Every structure is written in structure tokens, then in C-alpha cells.
């Protein structure tokens, strides 16, 4: 916006470098340029200020495809002024000579013209194709068409405006149609997810079955080894029992042999003793018996001698007495 300082009958205008200022007097251009500073008389001057910087406007078009489906195109269009004097002659860019502000809204008029041309182009391009083709192709083909149309549009060239960029950020159907179009893809993805889930569960079941089979095989092997161990322990026990029985049999045989030898020796000794006693006289036998009896008795309190015993002793004594005389 230009800065105007009024000093009585004259005024000074100071403009920015991004604005093209045109001063008219009596319908003729007196001064024209960017960033001008000059004095003028307000009662005889008319001044226009045209912005020379690049501008951007928002594009939003709701169109219908060939198959009668609503499609929304959204983006931005960049434009600039290439001929400010021509533009000032076609669009009112005059400023208030007291405040320096634009009297009208010329930028909105230019953007309205741009929006009309772009909207008509988008409507025709979308209406020529079904919605599936448009969505599959994306916004790129439509952007190229729009860019070519706007750059070559006579309605813009004749007012000194040129399009510098066209961007389409969004090309989408209505929300209901978008959900309907998303359903097959969503269902396909859901089926893949379900298949993956089922495959994961089947793999988990297979792993669990493999683990159970491994555990069963391990238990079976342990049971078989336990059976072998029990059989081996039984065999070892039988071997130990047989060895023990054999050892006990050998020991019993040795004991029996020892007893037999001892008893044989004792029987032989008794037999010899009996043989010796057999040849002894009865008196001697009685004496030995008395001595043996005396050796087994601790004390003798009474001795009973019967007449029979005394008679037999005396009889034996008489028979042995003659044998002792020759000595």
C-alpha cells in the first residue's frame, strides 16, 4: 500500500518496490513504475497501484463425473501481473489520494475470473470420465489439463495476468462413495488379515501338536528306559540273589563239611575212647565214672551207698585182687 503525505495543495506518494504505480493526468499516463516517489496535486491526479508480487488463490470445485458421481477437486493457483498498465486499464486499481488504500477490490475480481476459468475446465474434465477412471488416474492428469488451459486462456492474457503455477492437492469422491469404494479393498485386506490370523493360529496349533508329540515321545522313551532299568535291576537282583545263594550254599557246605569233620573226629575219638573203656576192668570204669562225676559236682552233702552197690563193688574188688598179687 502506498504512503501519501498531504502538505496543503500538494501531496507526496511513496510506494513499495512490489507495487507498480501509474499516475494519470487528464486521462494520460504521466508516471509509471515500481517503487516511485513523487509529488502530485490531488485535485488534478488519478493514481493506480498494481501489486506485482506473485499471488495464490484457493481452488475448490465440486463436479459430477460421467457416471453421475460427485467428485471434489481442491488445490491452489498461482498468478502474477505481467502488464500492469493493461491491467490498470481493464480493472480498477485506483487508490484513495488521502489514505493510499484501493478504492475497489480488483484482486478479488481477478481471482474470480481465474476461478471461473479453472472451475469450468475442471467441470468439463471430470464430466468426461467415469469416477473410477478419475480416481485411478489421480489429480495429475487433471492438473496438466488445467495448467494448459489457464496458461493459454485469452481472458487472462487480455488483462495482463499470467498463471505461474497450478497445484491439485485433493481429488476425491463424496464420503458415501468413498466408503463404498473402500469397502472391497477393506474387505480384501480384512480377508488377508483373517487368513494371516488363521495361518498364525494353525501354525501355533501345529507347534503345540509338535510339542505334545515331542513330550509324548520323550515320556515313551523315558518309560522304555524305565522298563529297561527295572528289568536290569531285576536281573541284577536275581544275580545278586543267585550269588548270595551260591555263597550261602558254599558257606553251608563248608560248615557241613567242617561239622562232618568235627563230628567225625569226635565220633572217632569217642569210638577210640569207647574201645579203651571196653577193654578196662569194671572197677576201673567205676573209678573213672566216679572221678567224672566228682568233677561235675561242686559240693557233696550226702552220699547214699546201698547194699547192692556195696556188694557189687566188693565183688569186683575180689575179682581184681588176685590180678594185683603177682606184682
Amino acid at each position: 500500500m502506498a504512503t501519501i503525505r498531504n502538505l496543503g495543495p500538494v501531496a507526496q506518494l511513496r510506494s513499495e518496490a512490489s507495487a507498480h504505480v501509474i499516475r494519470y493526468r487528464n486521462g494520460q499516463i504521466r508516471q509509471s513504475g515500481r517503487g516511485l516517489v513523487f509529488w502530485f496535486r490531488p485535485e488534478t491526479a488519478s493514481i493506480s497501484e498494481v501489486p506485482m508480487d506473485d499471488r495464490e488463490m484457493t481452488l475448490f470445485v465440486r463436479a459430477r463425473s460421467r457416471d453421475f458421481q460427485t467428485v471434489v477437486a481442491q488445490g491452489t493457483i498461482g498468478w502474477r501481473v505481467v502488464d500492469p498498465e493493461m491491467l490498470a486499464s481493464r480493472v480498477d486499481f485506483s487508490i484513495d489520494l488521502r489514505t493510499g488504500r484501493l478504492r475497489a477490490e480488483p484482486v478479488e475480481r481477478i481471482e474470480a475470473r481465474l476461478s471461473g476459468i479453472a472451475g469450468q475446465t475442471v467441470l468439463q474434465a471430470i464430466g468426461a470420465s467415469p469416477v473410477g477412471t478419475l480416481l485411478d488416474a489421480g489429480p495429475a492428469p487433471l492438473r496438466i489439463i488445467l495448467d494448459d488451459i489457464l496458461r493459454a486462456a485469452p481472458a487472462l492474457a487480455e488483462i495482463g495476468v499470467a498463471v505461474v503455477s497450478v497445484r491439485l492437492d485433493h481429488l476425491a469422491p463424496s464420503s458415501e462413495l468413498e466408503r463404498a469404494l473402500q469397502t472391497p479393498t477393506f474387505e480384501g485386506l480384512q480377508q488377508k488379515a483373517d487368513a494371516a490370523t488363521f495361518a498364525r493360529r494353525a501354525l501355533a496349533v501345529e507347534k503345540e501338536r509338535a510339542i505334545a508329540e515331542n513330550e509324548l515321545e520323550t515320556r515313551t522313551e523315558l518309560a522304555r528306559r524305565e522298563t529297561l532299568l527295572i528289568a536290569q535291576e531285576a536281573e541284577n537282583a536275581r544275580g545278586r540273589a543267585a550269588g548270595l545263594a551260591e555263597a550261602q550254599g558254599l558257606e553251608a557246605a563248608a560248615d557241613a563239611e567242617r561239622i562232618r569233620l568235627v563230628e567225625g573226629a569226635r565220633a572217632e575219638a569217642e569210638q577210640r575212647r569207647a574201645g579203651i573203656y571196653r577193654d578196662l576192668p569194671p572197677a576201673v570204669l567205676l573209678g573213672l565214672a566216679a572221678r567224672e562225676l566228682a568233677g561235675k559236682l561242686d559240693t557233696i552233702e550226702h552220699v547214699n551207698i546201698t547194699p547192692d552197690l556195696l556188694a557189687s563193688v566188693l565183688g569186683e574188688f575180689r575179682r581184681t585182687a588176685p590180678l594185683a598179687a603177682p606184682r
Side-chain angles (χ1 to χ4, degrees):
M1 184 182 70
T3 302
I4 296 177
R5 185 173 59 172
N6 292 289
L7 297 174
V10 297
Q12 185 188 45
L13 181 141
R14 182 182 298 274
S15 64
E16 301 294 337
S18 60
H20 189 101
V21 176
I22 304 172
R23 182 166 72 91
Y24 297 90
R25 184 176 179 183
N26 297 327
Q28 300 294 324
I29 297 176
R30 297 300 180 181
Q31 284 181 297
S32 177
R34 299 176 65 169
L36 296 180
V37 178
F38 56 84
W39 294 87
F40 65 94
R41 295 177 62 185
E43 66 273 10
T44 60
S46 177
I47 300 175
S48 297
E49 185 182 26
V50 180
M52 301 300 293
D53 55 339
D54 289 357
R55 301 293 180 97
E56 283 192 349
M57 59 166 287
T58 300
L59 176 66
F60 184 86
V61 180
R62 187 185 299 274
R64 179 170 293 182
S65 64
R66 192 173 66 185
D67 50 357
F68 306 103
Q69 299 298 326
T70 301
V71 179
V72 174
Q74 186 174 356
T76 56
I77 298 175
W79 61 275
R80 65 183 179 88
V81 177
V82 295
D83 192 341
E85 293 182 1
M86 180 183 294
L87 181 61
S89 66
R90 299 293 301 272
V91 181
D92 184 11
F93 277 90
S94 62
I95 62 175
D96 190 334
L97 298 181
R98 291 176 299 175
T99 62
R101 298 180 179 275
L102 291 171
R103 295 179 181 274
E105 296 179 349
V107 174
E108 284 76 4
R109 291 182 58 187
I110 295 172
E111 291 184 349
R113 179 172 294 196
L114 282 170
S115 179
I117 299 172
Q120 185 65 30
T121 303
V122 171
L123 288 173
Q124 292 177 356
I126 292 178
S129 302
V131 65
T133 303
L134 293 171
L135 297 179
D136 290 339
L142 181 59
R143 187 198 66 78
I144 295 174
I145 294 173
L146 186 60
D147 186 76
D148 293 340
I149 295 296
L150 289 177
R151 289 182 186 275
L156 299 178
E158 68 185 10
I159 63 173
V161 174
V163 172
V164 296
S165 64
V166 176
R167 295 193 301 273
L168 283 182
D169 304 326
H170 187 66
L171 182 65
S174 61
S175 58
E176 295 82 2
L177 179 59
E178 186 173 8
R179 284 194 297 270
L181 293 174
Q182 289 174 351
T183 299
T185 303
F186 178 78
E187 291 296 331
L189 294 176
Q190 187 64 39
Q191 290 176 2
K192 291 182 179 179
D194 293 340
T197 302
F198 295 152
R200 185 171 61 253
R201 290 179 180 176
L203 181 59
V205 171
E206 183 65 22
K207 289 184 177 179
E208 290 180 357
R209 185 185 65 79
I211 292 172
E213 289 181 354
N214 190 16
E215 291 180 351
L216 182 59
E217 290 178 359
T218 302
R219 293 174 60 185
T220 304
E221 180 64 19
L222 291 176
R224 186 183 66 81
R225 293 185 180 182
E226 185 177 2
T227 302
L228 294 177
L229 178 61
I230 292 173
Q232 188 63 38
E233 288 180 348
E235 184 66 23
N236 294 340
R238 285 194 295 270
R240 285 194 298 270
L244 182 60
E246 184 178 358
Q248 290 178 349
L250 292 176
E251 184 177 358
D255 291 342
E257 182 65 21
R258 185 174 58 254
I259 293 171
R260 186 184 64 79
L261 292 176
V262 172
E263 291 297 329
R266 183 178 300 171
E268 186 178 357
E270 289 294 334
Q271 187 177 4
R272 290 179 180 178
R273 182 181 301 174
I276 294 171
Y277 289 161
R278 185 175 58 248
D279 296 333
L280 291 177
V284 176
L285 291 175
L286 290 175
L288 291 175
R291 188 180 64 180
E292 183 72 19
L293 178 61
K296 295 184 178 294
L297 296 176
D298 294 333
T299 58
I300 300 174
E301 296 180 355
H302 299 89
V303 178
N304 295 321
I305 299 175
T306 61
D308 295 334
L309 177 60
L310 183 60
S312 59
V313 172
L314 290 177
E316 290 295 329
F317 179 75
R318 289 174 182 173
R319 282 195 299 266
T320 58
L323 296 175
R327 290 183 185 180

PDB file of all heavy atoms in Angstrom, residues 236-251:
ATOM      1  N   ASN A 236      19.792-107.804  37.931  1.00  0.00           N
ATOM      2  CA  ASN A 236      20.869-107.627  38.908  1.00  0.00           C
ATOM      3  C   ASN A 236      20.485-108.224  40.257  1.00  0.00           C
ATOM      4  O   ASN A 236      21.319-108.834  40.943  1.00  0.00           O
ATOM      5  CB  ASN A 236      21.191-106.137  39.060  1.00  0.00           C
ATOM      6  CG  ASN A 236      21.785-105.551  37.792  1.00  0.00           C
ATOM      7  OD1 ASN A 236      22.299-106.293  36.949  1.00  0.00           O
ATOM      8  ND2 ASN A 236      21.721-104.237  37.649  1.00  0.00           N
ATOM      9  N   ALA A 237      19.190-108.034  40.646  1.00  0.00           N
ATOM     10  CA  ALA A 237      18.749-108.600  41.921  1.00  0.00           C
ATOM     11  C   ALA A 237      18.805-110.121  41.890  1.00  0.00           C
ATOM     12  O   ALA A 237      19.229-110.775  42.871  1.00  0.00           O
ATOM     13  CB  ALA A 237      17.321-108.129  42.234  1.00  0.00           C
ATOM     14  N   ARG A 238      18.362-110.693  40.729  1.00  0.00           N
ATOM     15  CA  ARG A 238      18.452-112.159  40.616  1.00  0.00           C
ATOM     16  C   ARG A 238      19.899-112.628  40.643  1.00  0.00           C
ATOM     17  O   ARG A 238      20.239-113.638  41.274  1.00  0.00           O
ATOM     18  CB  ARG A 238      17.767-112.608  39.315  1.00  0.00           C
ATOM     19  CG  ARG A 238      16.253-112.572  39.365  1.00  0.00           C
ATOM     20  CD  ARG A 238      15.648-113.324  38.199  1.00  0.00           C
ATOM     21  NE  ARG A 238      15.954-112.676  36.926  1.00  0.00           N
ATOM     22  CZ  ARG A 238      15.202-111.744  36.363  1.00  0.00           C
ATOM     23  NH1 ARG A 238      14.096-111.327  36.984  1.00  0.00           N
ATOM     24  NH2 ARG A 238      15.527-111.223  35.209  1.00  0.00           N
ATOM     25  N   GLY A 239      20.766-111.840  39.977  1.00  0.00           N
ATOM     26  CA  GLY A 239      22.188-112.207  40.012  1.00  0.00           C
ATOM     27  C   GLY A 239      22.746-112.132  41.414  1.00  0.00           C
ATOM     28  O   GLY A 239      23.499-113.014  41.852  1.00  0.00           O
ATOM     29  N   ARG A 240      22.359-111.038  42.118  1.00  0.00           N
ATOM     30  CA  ARG A 240      22.840-110.912  43.495  1.00  0.00           C
ATOM     31  C   ARG A 240      22.297-112.038  44.364  1.00  0.00           C
ATOM     32  O   ARG A 240      23.007-112.598  45.206  1.00  0.00           O
ATOM     33  CB  ARG A 240      22.436-109.539  44.058  1.00  0.00           C
ATOM     34  CG  ARG A 240      23.258-108.382  43.518  1.00  0.00           C
ATOM     35  CD  ARG A 240      23.056-107.141  44.356  1.00  0.00           C
ATOM     36  NE  ARG A 240      21.654-106.705  44.313  1.00  0.00           N
ATOM     37  CZ  ARG A 240      21.155-105.855  43.432  1.00  0.00           C
ATOM     38  NH1 ARG A 240      21.957-105.367  42.498  1.00  0.00           N
ATOM     39  NH2 ARG A 240      19.898-105.492  43.471  1.00  0.00           N
ATOM     40  N   ALA A 241      20.959-112.351  44.156  1.00  0.00           N
ATOM     41  CA  ALA A 241      20.371-113.440  44.945  1.00  0.00           C
ATOM     42  C   ALA A 241      21.039-114.778  44.635  1.00  0.00           C
ATOM     43  O   ALA A 241      21.333-115.586  45.538  1.00  0.00           O
ATOM     44  CB  ALA A 241      18.870-113.522  44.677  1.00  0.00           C
ATOM     45  N   ALA A 242      21.288-115.018  43.332  1.00  0.00           N
ATOM     46  CA  ALA A 242      21.955-116.272  42.959  1.00  0.00           C
ATOM     47  C   ALA A 242      23.357-116.332  43.538  1.00  0.00           C
ATOM     48  O   ALA A 242      23.798-117.358  44.055  1.00  0.00           O
ATOM     49  CB  ALA A 242      21.988-116.394  41.437  1.00  0.00           C
ATOM     50  N   GLY A 243      24.059-115.183  43.447  1.00  0.00           N
ATOM     51  CA  GLY A 243      25.403-115.150  44.025  1.00  0.00           C
ATOM     52  C   GLY A 243      25.379-115.363  45.520  1.00  0.00           C
ATOM     53  O   GLY A 243      26.219-116.082  46.090  1.00  0.00           O
ATOM     54  N   LEU A 244      24.381-114.667  46.168  1.00  0.00           N
ATOM     55  CA  LEU A 244      24.272-114.823  47.613  1.00  0.00           C
ATOM     56  C   LEU A 244      23.905-116.266  47.982  1.00  0.00           C
ATOM     57  O   LEU A 244      24.468-116.841  48.938  1.00  0.00           O
ATOM     58  CB  LEU A 244      23.215-113.848  48.144  1.00  0.00           C
ATOM     59  CG  LEU A 244      22.987-113.844  49.653  1.00  0.00           C
ATOM     60  CD1 LEU A 244      24.281-113.475  50.392  1.00  0.00           C
ATOM     61  CD2 LEU A 244      21.869-112.860  50.028  1.00  0.00           C
ATOM     62  N   ALA A 245      22.946-116.835  47.195  1.00  0.00           N
ATOM     63  CA  ALA A 245      22.557-118.223  47.476  1.00  0.00           C
ATOM     64  C   ALA A 245      23.742-119.177  47.261  1.00  0.00           C
ATOM     65  O   ALA A 245      23.974-120.112  48.049  1.00  0.00           O
ATOM     66  CB  ALA A 245      21.388-118.621  46.575  1.00  0.00           C
ATOM     67  N   GLU A 246      24.491-118.893  46.197  1.00  0.00           N
ATOM     68  CA  GLU A 246      25.656-119.739  45.928  1.00  0.00           C
ATOM     69  C   GLU A 246      26.685-119.590  47.039  1.00  0.00           C
ATOM     70  O   GLU A 246      27.257-120.582  47.522  1.00  0.00           O
ATOM     71  CB  GLU A 246      26.270-119.373  44.576  1.00  0.00           C
ATOM     72  CG  GLU A 246      27.432-120.271  44.187  1.00  0.00           C
ATOM     73  CD  GLU A 246      27.980-119.911  42.827  1.00  0.00           C
ATOM     74  OE1 GLU A 246      27.422-118.982  42.177  1.00  0.00           O
ATOM     75  OE2 GLU A 246      28.970-120.536  42.399  1.00  0.00           O
ATOM     76  N   ALA A 247      26.871-118.319  47.464  1.00  0.00           N
ATOM     77  CA  ALA A 247      27.834-118.103  48.546  1.00  0.00           C
ATOM     78  C   ALA A 247      27.346-118.769  49.822  1.00  0.00           C
ATOM     79  O   ALA A 247      28.131-119.387  50.565  1.00  0.00           O
ATOM     80  CB  ALA A 247      28.030-116.598  48.757  1.00  0.00           C
ATOM     81  N   GLN A 248      26.000-118.606  50.077  1.00  0.00           N
ATOM     82  CA  GLN A 248      25.470-119.255  51.281  1.00  0.00           C
ATOM     83  C   GLN A 248      25.559-120.772  51.169  1.00  0.00           C
ATOM     84  O   GLN A 248      25.824-121.474  52.162  1.00  0.00           O
ATOM     85  CB  GLN A 248      24.014-118.815  51.489  1.00  0.00           C
ATOM     86  CG  GLN A 248      23.872-117.359  51.899  1.00  0.00           C
ATOM     87  CD  GLN A 248      22.426-116.936  52.046  1.00  0.00           C
ATOM     88  OE1 GLN A 248      21.530-117.691  51.638  1.00  0.00           O
ATOM     89  NE2 GLN A 248      22.206-115.752  52.606  1.00  0.00           N
ATOM     90  N   GLY A 249      25.336-121.307  49.936  1.00  0.00           N
ATOM     91  CA  GLY A 249      25.454-122.753  49.751  1.00  0.00           C
ATOM     92  C   GLY A 249      26.877-123.239  49.983  1.00  0.00           C
ATOM     93  O   GLY A 249      27.106-124.267  50.637  1.00  0.00           O
ATOM     94  N   LEU A 250      27.817-122.440  49.432  1.00  0.00           N
ATOM     95  CA  LEU A 250      29.223-122.801  49.657  1.00  0.00           C
ATOM     96  C   LEU A 250      29.560-122.726  51.134  1.00  0.00           C
ATOM     97  O   LEU A 250      30.266-123.580  51.692  1.00  0.00           O
ATOM     98  CB  LEU A 250      30.119-121.873  48.831  1.00  0.00           C
ATOM     99  CG  LEU A 250      30.027-122.036  47.302  1.00  0.00           C
ATOM    100  CD1 LEU A 250      30.899-120.993  46.620  1.00  0.00           C
ATOM    101  CD2 LEU A 250      30.431-123.450  46.890  1.00  0.00           C
ATOM    102  N   GLU A 251      29.029-121.652  51.773  1.00  0.00           N
ATOM    103  CA  GLU A 251      29.308-121.496  53.204  1.00  0.00           C
ATOM    104  C   GLU A 251      28.664-122.642  53.999  1.00  0.00           C
ATOM    105  O   GLU A 251      29.275-123.192  54.932  1.00  0.00           O
ATOM    106  CB  GLU A 251      28.777-120.148  53.684  1.00  0.00           C
ATOM    107  CG  GLU A 251      29.120-119.858  55.137  1.00  0.00           C
ATOM    108  CD  GLU A 251      28.639-118.488  55.559  1.00  0.00           C
ATOM    109  OE1 GLU A 251      28.072-117.761  54.694  1.00  0.00           O
ATOM    110  OE2 GLU A 251      28.828-118.137  56.737  1.00  0.00           O
TER     111      GLU A 251
END
